[in-house]
Amino acid sequence: MAVSVMAICALGQTPAQASGTAEDGPVSIGVIGDGLQVREVRVLLDGWKPGVRARISEWRGGEWVRDIRGWKAMSSRQQGRYKYEIATWKINKNLRHRSRICAEVSGHGERMPCVTIKR
């Protein structure tokens, strides 16, 4: 179900190198952008878990570089019968070629989906 929600989140976006999705268990990340510019990042968690938070970070060569955005409370949403938590950030920044944007959700530290930014 997370894939269909990610598709809904990306509707109307033109394909671009900075765009992509990834999931690791119940945690998903969607990145929207053009070239190396990332416009927006969305993190989803399957199910409702009030109080859960998410953050996004940049990684290069398997090494943590920095937090792109710190912890943010996720909002509960429902699409049909599918319930999920979502956090969205407007980024509007260029990242280096081959940087990875990774999502982390509180209570799900073992799950960290990432999207690689490419030229």
Side-chain angles (χ1 to χ4, degrees):
M1 273 314 236
V3 175
S4 63
V5 171
M6 289 307 297
I8 290 167
C9 289
L11 283 178
Q13 302 299 325
T14 57
Q17 295 297 329
S19 296
T21 61
E23 62 182 273
D24 186 356
V27 180
S28 303
I29 184 171
V31 177
I32 301 166
D34 299 303
L36 297 177
Q37 183 175 18
V38 173
R39 287 194 315 265
E40 186 172 305
V41 177
R42 298 170 183 166
V43 175
L44 290 125
L45 175 66
D46 290 344
W48 279 348
K49 299 203 170 117
V52 74
R53 299 175 304 143
R55 68 177 169 184
I56 51 177
S57 55
E58 181 180 359
W59 294 70
R60 260 186 253 125
E63 303 269 330
W64 177 87
V65 175
R66 66 187 172 106
D67 283 337
I68 295 173
R69 295 291 187 268
W71 291 109
K72 178 179 186 175
M74 299 181 82
S75 301
S76 299
R77 302 271 172 84
Q78 186 168 349
Q79 182 75 30
R81 287 198 262 168
Y82 179 64
K83 297 177 180 181
Y84 60 98
E85 299 285 341
I86 186 169
T88 304
W89 296 266
K90 298 286 186 195
I91 305 297
N92 294 319
K93 293 195 185 263
N94 287 330
L95 294 178
R96 289 176 51 181
H97 175 64
R98 309 260 301 133
S99 289
R100 293 171 56 87
I101 298 177
C102 299
E104 186 178 356
V105 174
S106 60
H108 296 273
E110 73 284 356
R111 307 289 187 183
M112 202 162 88
C114 301
V115 172
T116 302
I117 306 303
K118 298 179 186 174
R119 283 185 216 164

